[in-house]
Short mmCIF file of all heavy atoms in Angstrom, two decimals:
data_model
loop_
_atom_site.label_atom_id
_atom_site.label_comp_id
_atom_site.label_asym_id
_atom_site.label_seq_id
_atom_site.Cartn_x
_atom_site.Cartn_y
_atom_site.Cartn_z
N ILE B 1382 18.25 -1.43 -12.45
CA ILE B 1382 17.24 -1.45 -11.38
C ILE B 1382 17.75 -0.59 -10.23
O ILE B 1382 18.84 -0.84 -9.70
CB ILE B 1382 16.98 -2.89 -10.90
CG1 ILE B 1382 16.36 -3.72 -12.03
CG2 ILE B 1382 16.04 -2.90 -9.69
CD1 ILE B 1382 16.15 -5.18 -11.67
N ILE B 1383 16.98 0.42 -9.86
CA ILE B 1383 17.40 1.34 -8.80
C ILE B 1383 16.54 1.21 -7.55
O ILE B 1383 16.79 1.86 -6.54
CB ILE B 1383 17.38 2.80 -9.29
CG1 ILE B 1383 15.98 3.18 -9.80
CG2 ILE B 1383 18.43 3.02 -10.39
CD1 ILE B 1383 15.82 4.64 -10.16
N GLY B 1384 15.54 0.36 -7.60
CA GLY B 1384 14.67 0.16 -6.45
C GLY B 1384 13.61 -0.87 -6.81
O GLY B 1384 13.55 -1.38 -7.93
N ALA B 1385 12.76 -1.18 -5.85
CA ALA B 1385 11.66 -2.10 -6.10
C ALA B 1385 10.56 -1.85 -5.07
O ALA B 1385 10.82 -1.33 -3.99
CB ALA B 1385 12.12 -3.55 -6.02
N VAL B 1425 10.05 -8.24 4.16
CA VAL B 1425 10.98 -7.44 3.36
C VAL B 1425 12.36 -7.45 4.00
O VAL B 1425 13.38 -7.62 3.31
CB VAL B 1425 10.46 -5.99 3.20
CG1 VAL B 1425 11.55 -5.08 2.64
CG2 VAL B 1425 9.23 -5.97 2.29
N CYS B 1426 12.42 -7.29 5.31
CA CYS B 1426 13.70 -7.32 6.03
C CYS B 1426 14.40 -8.66 5.84
O CYS B 1426 15.62 -8.71 5.59
CB CYS B 1426 13.49 -7.04 7.51
SG CYS B 1426 13.03 -5.33 7.91
N GLN B 1428 13.99 -10.76 3.34
CA GLN B 1428 14.42 -10.91 1.95
C GLN B 1428 15.69 -10.11 1.68
O GLN B 1428 16.61 -10.60 1.01
CB GLN B 1428 13.30 -10.45 1.01
CG GLN B 1428 13.61 -10.64 -0.45
CD GLN B 1428 13.77 -12.10 -0.82
OE1 GLN B 1428 12.80 -12.85 -0.91
NE2 GLN B 1428 15.01 -12.54 -1.04
N ILE B 1429 15.75 -8.88 2.19
CA ILE B 1429 16.94 -8.05 2.01
C ILE B 1429 18.15 -8.72 2.67
O ILE B 1429 19.25 -8.77 2.09
CB ILE B 1429 16.72 -6.64 2.59
CG1 ILE B 1429 15.67 -5.89 1.77
CG2 ILE B 1429 18.03 -5.85 2.63
CD1 ILE B 1429 15.26 -4.56 2.36
N ARG B 1430 17.94 -9.23 3.88
CA ARG B 1430 19.03 -9.91 4.58
C ARG B 1430 19.52 -11.12 3.79
O ARG B 1430 20.73 -11.38 3.70
CB ARG B 1430 18.56 -10.34 5.97
CG ARG B 1430 19.64 -11.00 6.83
CD ARG B 1430 19.10 -11.29 8.22
NE ARG B 1430 17.95 -12.17 8.16
CZ ARG B 1430 17.11 -12.36 9.18
NH1 ARG B 1430 17.30 -11.72 10.32
NH2 ARG B 1430 16.07 -13.17 9.05
N ASP B 1431 18.59 -11.86 3.18
CA ASP B 1431 18.96 -13.04 2.38
C ASP B 1431 19.76 -12.62 1.15
O ASP B 1431 20.76 -13.26 0.79
CB ASP B 1431 17.69 -13.78 1.95
CG ASP B 1431 18.00 -14.98 1.07
OD1 ASP B 1431 18.70 -15.90 1.53
OD2 ASP B 1431 17.55 -14.99 -0.10
N TRP B 1432 19.33 -11.55 0.46
CA TRP B 1432 20.06 -11.05 -0.71
C TRP B 1432 21.48 -10.66 -0.32
O TRP B 1432 22.43 -10.95 -1.05
CB TRP B 1432 19.34 -9.86 -1.32
CG TRP B 1432 18.10 -10.23 -2.08
CD1 TRP B 1432 17.84 -11.42 -2.71
CD2 TRP B 1432 16.94 -9.41 -2.28
NE1 TRP B 1432 16.59 -11.38 -3.29
CE2 TRP B 1432 16.02 -10.17 -3.05
CE3 TRP B 1432 16.59 -8.12 -1.90
CZ2 TRP B 1432 14.79 -9.67 -3.44
CZ3 TRP B 1432 15.37 -7.61 -2.29
CH2 TRP B 1432 14.47 -8.38 -3.05
N LYS B 1433 21.62 -9.97 0.81
CA LYS B 1433 22.95 -9.54 1.25
C LYS B 1433 23.82 -10.74 1.61
O LYS B 1433 25.02 -10.76 1.30
CB LYS B 1433 22.83 -8.60 2.45
CG LYS B 1433 22.29 -7.21 2.09
CD LYS B 1433 22.36 -6.27 3.28
CE LYS B 1433 21.97 -4.86 2.87
NZ LYS B 1433 22.14 -3.89 3.98
N HIS B 1434 23.21 -11.73 2.24
CA HIS B 1434 23.95 -12.94 2.62
C HIS B 1434 24.48 -13.66 1.38
O HIS B 1434 25.57 -14.24 1.41
CB HIS B 1434 23.06 -13.87 3.43
CG HIS B 1434 23.72 -15.15 3.86
ND1 HIS B 1434 24.70 -15.19 4.83
CD2 HIS B 1434 23.55 -16.43 3.42
CE1 HIS B 1434 25.11 -16.44 4.97
NE2 HIS B 1434 24.43 -17.21 4.14
N ARG B 1435 23.70 -13.59 0.29
CA ARG B 1435 24.11 -14.23 -0.96
C ARG B 1435 24.97 -13.30 -1.82
O ARG B 1435 25.29 -13.62 -2.96
CB ARG B 1435 22.87 -14.67 -1.73
CG ARG B 1435 22.13 -15.82 -1.06
CD ARG B 1435 20.67 -15.88 -1.44
NE ARG B 1435 20.47 -16.02 -2.87
CZ ARG B 1435 19.29 -15.92 -3.47
NH1 ARG B 1435 18.21 -15.66 -2.74
NH2 ARG B 1435 19.17 -16.07 -4.77
N GLU B 1436 25.31 -12.14 -1.25
CA GLU B 1436 26.18 -11.15 -1.91
C GLU B 1436 25.61 -10.67 -3.24
O GLU B 1436 26.33 -10.44 -4.22
CB GLU B 1436 27.60 -11.71 -2.11
CG GLU B 1436 28.29 -12.04 -0.79
CD GLU B 1436 29.72 -12.53 -0.99
OE1 GLU B 1436 30.10 -12.82 -2.14
OE2 GLU B 1436 30.44 -12.60 0.01
N LEU B 1437 24.30 -10.50 -3.27
CA LEU B 1437 23.62 -9.96 -4.44
C LEU B 1437 23.50 -8.45 -4.30
O LEU B 1437 23.56 -7.90 -3.20
CB LEU B 1437 22.22 -10.57 -4.58
CG LEU B 1437 22.18 -12.09 -4.79
CD1 LEU B 1437 20.73 -12.58 -4.78
CD2 LEU B 1437 22.85 -12.48 -6.10
N ASN B 1438 23.32 -7.78 -5.42
CA ASN B 1438 23.15 -6.33 -5.40
C ASN B 1438 21.79 -5.99 -4.77
O ASN B 1438 20.75 -6.47 -5.22
CB ASN B 1438 23.21 -5.78 -6.83
CG ASN B 1438 23.08 -4.27 -6.85
OD1 ASN B 1438 23.64 -3.57 -6.00
ND2 ASN B 1438 22.32 -3.75 -7.81
N VAL B 1439 21.80 -5.18 -3.74
CA VAL B 1439 20.58 -4.83 -3.02
C VAL B 1439 20.17 -3.40 -3.34
O VAL B 1439 20.99 -2.48 -3.29
CB VAL B 1439 20.78 -4.98 -1.49
CG1 VAL B 1439 19.55 -4.51 -0.74
CG2 VAL B 1439 21.06 -6.44 -1.14
N VAL B 1440 18.91 -3.22 -3.72
CA VAL B 1440 18.35 -1.89 -3.97
C VAL B 1440 17.30 -1.60 -2.91
O VAL B 1440 16.77 -2.53 -2.28
CB VAL B 1440 17.73 -1.81 -5.38
CG1 VAL B 1440 18.79 -1.97 -6.45
CG2 VAL B 1440 16.62 -2.85 -5.54
N PRO B 1441 16.98 -0.34 -2.67
CA PRO B 1441 15.95 -0.02 -1.66
C PRO B 1441 14.60 -0.62 -2.04
O PRO B 1441 14.19 -0.59 -3.20
CB PRO B 1441 15.90 1.52 -1.69
CG PRO B 1441 17.22 1.94 -2.25
CD PRO B 1441 17.61 0.87 -3.22
N ILE B 1442 13.91 -1.17 -1.05
CA ILE B 1442 12.59 -1.75 -1.24
C ILE B 1442 11.55 -0.84 -0.59
O ILE B 1442 11.66 -0.50 0.59
CB ILE B 1442 12.49 -3.16 -0.61
CG1 ILE B 1442 13.60 -4.07 -1.17
CG2 ILE B 1442 11.12 -3.75 -0.86
CD1 ILE B 1442 13.52 -4.32 -2.66
N ILE B 1469 19.48 -5.15 8.82
CA ILE B 1469 19.59 -4.38 7.58
C ILE B 1469 19.82 -2.92 7.94
O ILE B 1469 19.83 -2.54 9.11
CB ILE B 1469 18.34 -4.53 6.70
CG1 ILE B 1469 17.12 -3.89 7.38
CG2 ILE B 1469 18.07 -6.00 6.38
CD1 ILE B 1469 15.90 -3.80 6.47
N SER B 1470 19.99 -2.08 6.91
CA SER B 1470 20.20 -0.65 7.12
C SER B 1470 18.92 0.11 6.83
O SER B 1470 18.11 -0.32 5.98
CB SER B 1470 21.31 -0.14 6.20
OG SER B 1470 22.51 -0.84 6.42
N GLU B 1472 18.62 2.63 5.07
CA GLU B 1472 18.67 3.03 3.67
C GLU B 1472 18.15 1.93 2.74
O GLU B 1472 17.91 2.18 1.54
CB GLU B 1472 20.10 3.39 3.27
CG GLU B 1472 20.66 4.64 3.92
CD GLU B 1472 21.13 4.40 5.36
OE1 GLU B 1472 21.20 3.21 5.76
OE2 GLU B 1472 21.41 5.39 6.06
N ASP B 1473 17.96 0.73 3.26
CA ASP B 1473 17.47 -0.37 2.44
C ASP B 1473 15.95 -0.35 2.26
O ASP B 1473 15.41 -1.12 1.45
CB ASP B 1473 17.85 -1.72 3.08
CG ASP B 1473 19.35 -1.96 3.08
OD1 ASP B 1473 20.02 -1.49 2.15
OD2 ASP B 1473 19.84 -2.61 4.03
N VAL B 1474 15.27 0.51 3.04
CA VAL B 1474 13.81 0.51 3.05
C VAL B 1474 13.27 1.90 2.76
O VAL B 1474 13.82 2.91 3.20
CB VAL B 1474 13.28 0.03 4.42
CG1 VAL B 1474 11.76 -0.02 4.42
CG2 VAL B 1474 13.85 -1.34 4.77
#
Side-chain angles (χ1 to χ4, degrees):
I1382 295 176
I1383 57 173
V1425 168
C1426 289
Q1428 184 63 75
I1429 293 173
R1430 183 176 59 195
D1431 178 61
W1432 286 332
K1433 288 187 174 185
H1434 179 72
R1435 291 156 58 189
E1436 298 183 349
L1437 298 175
N1438 182 40
V1439 175
V1440 295
I1442 304 297
I1469 67 171
S1470 302
E1472 293 79 11
D1473 294 328
V1474 182

